[in-house]
Amino acid sequence: METNNNILEIKDLSVSYTVANVVTHVLEKVNLTVPKGKSVGLVGESGCGKTTTMRAILGVLPSNANIESGEILFNGTDVLKMPYNQLQEFRQTGAGLIFQDPSSALNPVISIKKQFLTSLKYAHKDKNYSSAQLYDKAIEALNAVSLADPKRIMNSFPFQLSGGMRQRVCIAMTLAGEKELLLADEPGTALDVTIQDQILRLIKNLVETLDLSVIMVTHSLGVIRQVTTEVNVMYAGSIVEGGDTHQVFEHPSHPYTIALMDCLPKLTGTGISEGIPGRIPDYDHPPAGCRFYPRCTYALDRCKSEVPGKTIVEDDHWVACFAAEEGKVCPK
Ligand SMILES: Nc1ncnc2c1ncn2[C@@H]1O[C@H](COP(=O)(O)OP(=O)(O)OP(=O)(O)O)[C@@H](O)[C@H]1O
Ligand SMILES: [Mg+2]
């Protein structure tokens, strides 16, 4: 098998949802790559398909979702084709998901100790660790996420911990399970900003010290800039621009990315701007060409009917936009 340095490669992934016999085509040929030991961002406004992408990776989409096409290669093996046992194994040992709302990831009526040890038992089932060894691993991981008094935490129920503590417990479980890929879906946004900042710094630190690979999902470009080395900008179910975080911030080239950056509150400027006019298109009847076309100030005639391919902007930076390809997009 071809070996490369990517822990995850999503290729042309399309996902729809069926509600009352109506099929909505949400993800449209998503391509996303995570190199080993890197933190990769996925950014876009609410409803663009970020959580759908994360759930697809772990094979935990809701029952009304349909994978129309595509591949999700984890260390070269397609998650979508894994038999059930292998998929369970992948979830227990390969990748872990941290949810936006940390309370939904832990069972409120089972002690942290029981949940932690059960998850570790699965993650290390071929290693024959004793219960005492697993307990020590859990304590070590709780220490690594800077939780004071890990023994008290082990004996607590989730409802006895704060939101920030619960989220740290979830990260510790991923670490102690020695999972290779962390999917962080807006970690900390349900918490106050100081705690959110601490969680983000913790993840960044773990990537640097433990070689963990991360997909950081957020609607905040500030978070992307702080935590990731590569970024993917998603609009209405497609990645429209991607590459090295620094290059994308220096030369944003898709009109949507430019508009998103324009919406960042400016510390020195005129305050919070108005947001991007219009809204994400109706997924039941998406525009035939570029999905951003109806909101785009640079739109050309062909954007209405043709879907743009990738144009290289610079060595590690691409964009899917006809106007950018023709040199007609100029960031302010
Ligand atoms: N179970 C479902 N059934 C039908 N449609 C769904 C379902 N889950 C998500 N969707 C639709 O898919 C689209 C993408 O949703 P998703 O949750 O992936 O967006 P998101 O980018 O994570 O948004 P947010 O930033 O608000 O979390 C939305 O239009 C949403 O309504
Ligand atoms: Mg989401």
Side-chain angles (χ1 to χ4, degrees):
M1 194 186 292
E2 184 193 333
T3 55
N4 63 31
N5 239 357
N6 297 326
I7 186 161
L8 187 81
E9 285 177 34
I10 302 183
K11 294 185 177 172
D12 284 338
L13 179 69
S14 297
V15 174
S16 64
Y17 289 104
T18 308
V19 178
N21 290 326
V22 177
V23 180
T24 53
H25 296 275
V26 174
L27 296 191
E28 180 66 26
K29 298 209 168 134
V30 167
N31 287 283
L32 190 152
T33 298
V34 184
K36 282 201 175 96
K38 297 278 183 215
S39 175
V40 170
L42 180 61
V43 66
E45 67 198 305
S46 185
C48 72
K50 305 180 298 293
T51 297
T52 302
T53 310
M54 293 308 105
R55 286 184 172 273
I57 296 170
L58 271 195
V60 290
L61 282 166
S63 56
N64 65 331
N66 329 296
I67 307 236
E68 308 268 351
S69 60
E71 287 179 303
I72 300 175
L73 303 176
F74 180 76
N75 284 328
T77 306
D78 193 348
V79 175
L80 300 176
K81 294 200 183 113
M82 281 182 185
Y84 184 73
N85 287 349
Q86 203 183 349
L87 186 62
Q88 282 295 76
E89 175 115 15
F90 161 68
R91 289 185 193 134
Q92 280 148 8
T93 62
L97 179 62
I98 308 181
F99 288 96
Q100 179 165 359
D101 171 9
S103 56
S104 63
L106 294 166
N107 188 327
V109 296
I110 300 178
S111 73
I112 299 290
K113 182 173 164 185
K114 190 154 188 204
Q115 295 188 61
F116 212 138
L117 295 186
T118 309
S119 115
L120 282 192
K121 216 179 200 160
Y122 277 113
H124 297 294
K125 64 178 176 308
D126 47 349
K127 293 188 193 127
N128 268 330
Y129 287 134
S130 66
S131 299
Q133 282 171 313
L134 290 177
Y135 184 84
D136 288 347
K137 275 193 163 295
I139 295 288
E140 198 184 312
L142 290 169
N143 271 320
V145 297
S146 308
L147 274 168
D149 204 358
K151 285 189 179 144
R152 176 177 73 92
I153 294 197
M154 283 292 261
N155 289 326
S156 304
F157 287 88
F159 72 85
Q160 293 167 326
L161 304 177
S162 73
M165 288 163 117
R166 283 196 292 260
Q167 204 139 47
R168 280 167 200 262
V169 168
C170 292
I171 298 174
M173 282 190 184
T174 303
L175 288 180
E178 288 164 22
K179 295 183 182 181
E180 295 167 78
L181 176 65
L182 176 65
L183 309 174
D185 193 352
E186 313 224 24
T189 37
L191 311 169
D192 78 58
V193 278
T194 342
I195 310 270
Q196 184 186 2
D197 201 53
Q198 286 171 9
I199 298 279
L200 292 173
R201 260 186 288 142
L202 169 67
I203 292 175
K204 189 172 180 206
N205 191 14
L206 295 173
V207 171
E208 283 159 9
T209 55
L210 296 179
D211 224 22
L212 194 68
S213 310
V214 175
I215 302 184
M216 174 65 67
V217 172
T218 176
H219 50 254
S220 159
L221 284 169
V223 169
I224 294 286
R225 198 168 200 168
Q226 204 184 326
V227 180
T228 70
T229 47
E230 286 182 34
V231 59
N232 298 272
V233 181
M234 187 173 236
Y235 180 76
S238 299
I239 313 274
V240 295
E241 179 161 6
D244 175 79
T245 304
H246 183 71
Q247 291 181 19
V248 173
F249 272 86
E250 280 296 300
H251 307 120
S253 299
H254 196 285
Y256 175 63
T257 315
I258 294 167
L260 210 57
M261 288 188 177
D262 233 32
C263 290
L264 273 183
K266 308 262 190 320
L267 288 176
T268 49
T270 50
I272 299 172
S273 65
E274 310 268 291
I276 306 170
R279 58 183 187 86
I280 285 190
D282 193 343
Y283 287 111
D284 304 345
H285 308 97
C290 172
R291 286 185 170 187
F292 192 58
Y293 166 78
R295 294 168 82 180
C296 184
T297 41
Y298 299 91
L300 311 172
D301 263 357
R302 61 193 293 212
C303 306
K304 202 173 184 174
S305 53
E306 291 173 50
V307 180
K310 276 188 181 184
T311 301
I312 303 296
V313 181
E314 51 207 311
D315 53 334
D316 189 10
H317 178 191
W318 62 269
V319 66
C321 171
F322 289 125
E325 187 183 319
E326 294 183 18
K328 291 184 175 146
V329 178
C330 329
K332 278 168 249 159

